[in-house]
Amino acid sequence: MSESESFFGDPDPIFADKELLRVSHLPEGDRIIGRDRELQKLANAIKDAQRGDTPNNVLIYGKTGTGKSLCSKYITRDLTQAAADNGVRVGVAYVDCFQESTETQTVRTIAQAFNDSTQTAIKVPHTGVSTSDYYRRLWDILDMRLDVGIVILDEIDKLEDDNVLMQLSRAAEAGKVTESTLGVIGISNKIRYKDSLNERVKSSLSERDFVFPPYDANQLREILKSRADAFREGVLDEDVIPKVAALAAKEHGDARKAIDILRYAGEIADEHDDDTVRVEYVDEAHDREEQARLSELIAKQPEHSKYLLQALSLQVQDESGEDPAIPTKGVYSMYELVCERDGVDPLKMRRVRDLLSELAFLSLIEQERKGRGKGKGAHTVNQLVDEPEVVVEACKSA
């Protein structure tokens, strides 16, 4: 390779603005498709903050890729701007609870997000401070800088305990803040998340609940079209977006999945030194996205959920072509063996049933009630959505 050559070659022949196809990208309002109703509900729930009053707390449920985080970020950004026009100071703190799951990590992240040390002269160090001290600094920052603070707790079900929710929801009532107020937006894939909260936290939150439904094929097509300018002009085959939308709609209406497949298709075209993103690249892109999605989703599950996925995979493989739907008792028997192999104590059957229901809600497995025969009642059977070998590999890499 000569000194004048570069490993990176010419400017990207496929993408004009690849960031439009990143999950982290926050689009403008006209690029948020099919969520007008949900955005309006969110706006109504927190609109009091625009006047400096306490907003409602909100819990948002829905499967992955239904726009929960996107809409929460967008509507709070819009609120911040509208409040500023009224002379009201609103701040937003976003916390990924999968990454920041302990009470200390969460309150530290919130304090850092709200703080501006040039205004407060308060430092929020990454380490070396107790949890109670982080709280004290947070309350001081809020009273000095903001009229209203809004905390977005994404994947709120990953928090280790309820303490931070209790502290945030009762801050004004308990006199922790006197010049400001707080609101919480919690986001969860688990429809039963609230059942795990203690009664005091439920009472303090007094939240409004919203459920975001999956997108249909038409909505997914419009979402992808709105981001088509991520590509250079003329490189995208006209059949690519309809095929990607149809695939994602068939598999639970996940917009994140659709956007990722479209980005992977472009990357595959580039890998093939092709200046056109062709429809035949979509299947390969779908396989690539499937493995990445599965590994990411499984990585976020509790350890015993991973043991159950491995157990179900092993059961399906043992059935060797017979009915792949496994009764819960059969899954539990294999799960006990997996736990024994890894030297951990298995959970009780009741908790295992709950975990299997959560895996079904996340579309990692499918569940169905089936009859045992005349006069023998019915039982729940469990079936993998993905190939068992893929699931086992994903569990290992998670």
Side-chain angles (χ1 to χ4, degrees):
M1 185 173 185
S2 70
E3 292 183 6
S4 61
E5 292 180 289
S6 168
F7 284 102
F8 299 102
D10 296 326
D12 197 323
I14 298 294
F15 296 102
D17 185 0
K18 199 173 184 180
E19 289 305 306
L20 293 175
L21 298 176
R22 298 288 184 191
V23 172
S24 57
H25 174 72
L26 182 59
E28 296 301 320
D30 58 357
R31 290 180 186 266
I32 299 179
I33 310 296
R35 287 294 176 257
D36 290 346
R37 186 165 171 264
E38 286 74 15
L39 285 169
Q40 188 60 61
K41 284 184 175 181
L42 272 175
N44 290 339
I46 63 174
K47 65 182 180 182
D48 288 347
Q50 184 181 350
R51 301 188 299 273
D53 297 329
T54 304
N56 290 292
N57 296 314
V58 178
L59 283 180
I60 303 173
Y61 303 99
K63 292 183 179 180
T64 301
T66 52
K68 305 182 300 297
S69 302
L70 173 67
C71 289
S72 298
K73 290 177 179 178
Y74 175 80
I75 208 68
T76 51
R77 184 180 68 179
D78 194 21
L79 170 69
T80 302
Q81 294 168 349
D85 293 339
N86 293 336
V88 175
R89 301 166 301 170
V90 173
V92 179
Y94 174 86
V95 184
D96 180 350
C97 298
F98 180 69
Q99 301 294 333
E100 314 286 347
S101 60
T102 70
E103 182 181 10
T104 301
Q105 291 171 335
T106 304
V107 69
R108 179 188 64 209
T109 301
I110 296 168
Q112 288 173 338
F114 285 149
N115 193 32
D116 182 342
S117 59
T118 63
Q119 295 181 21
T120 64
I122 297 173
K123 293 184 179 179
V124 185
H126 199 70
T127 57
V129 175
S130 68
T131 303
S132 59
D133 201 4
Y134 277 128
Y135 275 118
R136 281 192 292 271
R137 296 182 192 209
L138 171 60
W139 308 142
D140 288 343
I141 289 165
L142 280 164
D143 275 345
M144 293 174 69
R145 287 204 66 233
L146 300 172
D147 297 304
V148 183
I150 295 181
V151 180
I152 301 174
L153 298 174
D154 206 346
E155 298 201 58
I156 191 173
D157 49 273
K158 295 298 187 292
L159 289 175
E160 289 186 358
D161 55 51
D162 302 341
N163 292 343
V164 70
L165 293 177
M166 178 66 78
Q167 291 282 351
L168 294 176
S169 61
R170 300 189 67 215
E173 178 187 343
K176 302 295 185 181
V177 290
T178 57
E179 304 298 322
S180 62
T181 189
L182 269 173
V184 175
I185 297 176
I187 302 171
S188 178
N189 294 329
K190 297 181 178 179
I191 199 71
R192 296 187 182 92
Y193 163 70
K194 194 166 62 172
D195 295 345
S196 66
L197 299 176
N198 70 52
E199 292 304 319
R200 290 183 66 203
V201 173
K202 288 181 187 178
S203 175
S204 296
L205 276 174
S206 302
E207 78 291 332
R208 294 190 183 182
D209 293 357
F210 301 131
V211 178
F212 279 41
Y215 293 102
D216 61 32
N218 290 331
Q219 290 171 327
L220 289 169
R221 194 179 305 117
E222 291 305 311
I223 288 169
L224 295 176
K225 284 180 180 177
S226 76
R227 301 197 184 203
D229 47 345
F231 296 91
R232 295 195 179 278
E233 189 173 354
V235 307
L236 201 59
D237 262 3
E238 63 179 17
D239 293 333
V240 168
I241 283 179
K243 180 168 183 177
V244 172
L247 275 174
K250 184 179 179 182
E251 299 179 23
H252 320 299
D254 187 335
R256 182 179 302 180
K257 182 185 188 77
I259 292 168
D260 282 345
I261 293 173
L262 189 60
R263 186 182 76 254
Y264 284 135
E267 291 175 353
I268 290 167
D270 194 26
E271 291 166 11
H272 285 282
D273 291 324
D274 197 339
D275 59 5
T276 301
V277 183
R278 305 181 189 279
V279 73
E280 53 261 36
Y281 297 144
V282 172
D283 289 330
E284 185 179 346
H286 176 257
D287 292 341
R288 185 178 297 187
E289 188 282 333
E290 190 71 14
Q291 185 62 54
R293 177 198 65 85
L294 193 60
S295 295
E296 179 187 3
L297 189 55
I298 288 176
K300 295 180 179 180
Q301 302 312 307
E303 285 303 311
H304 283 273
S305 292
K306 296 175 189 176
Y307 294 144
L308 284 168
L309 285 169
Q310 292 178 60
L312 183 53
S313 299
L314 291 170
Q315 283 281 67
V316 171
Q317 289 172 322
D318 285 350
E319 294 297 324
S320 61
E322 298 179 21
D323 187 355
I326 311 298
T328 297
K329 284 187 178 180
V331 179
Y332 189 80
S333 297
M334 184 62 76
Y335 159 75
E336 289 181 305
L337 294 176
V338 172
C339 288
E340 182 180 351
R341 178 199 69 190
D342 286 9
V344 299
D345 294 329
L347 300 174
K348 301 294 185 184
M349 172 65 88
R350 181 176 179 179
R351 179 60 183 142
V352 163
R353 288 196 184 100
D354 290 340
L355 289 178
L356 287 171
S357 295
E358 290 174 4
L359 292 173
F361 177 75
L362 294 170
S363 301
L364 283 167
I365 68 172
E366 292 178 346
Q367 289 190 314
E368 183 182 359
R369 292 287 290 173
K370 277 192 173 182
R372 293 188 177 95
K374 188 174 181 180
K376 295 182 179 180
H379 63 172
T380 300
V381 294
N382 307 270
Q383 187 170 345
L384 289 172
V385 173
D386 302 280
E387 291 299 318
E389 296 79 11
V390 175
V391 174
V392 170
E393 188 60 35
C395 287
K396 289 179 181 177
S397 61

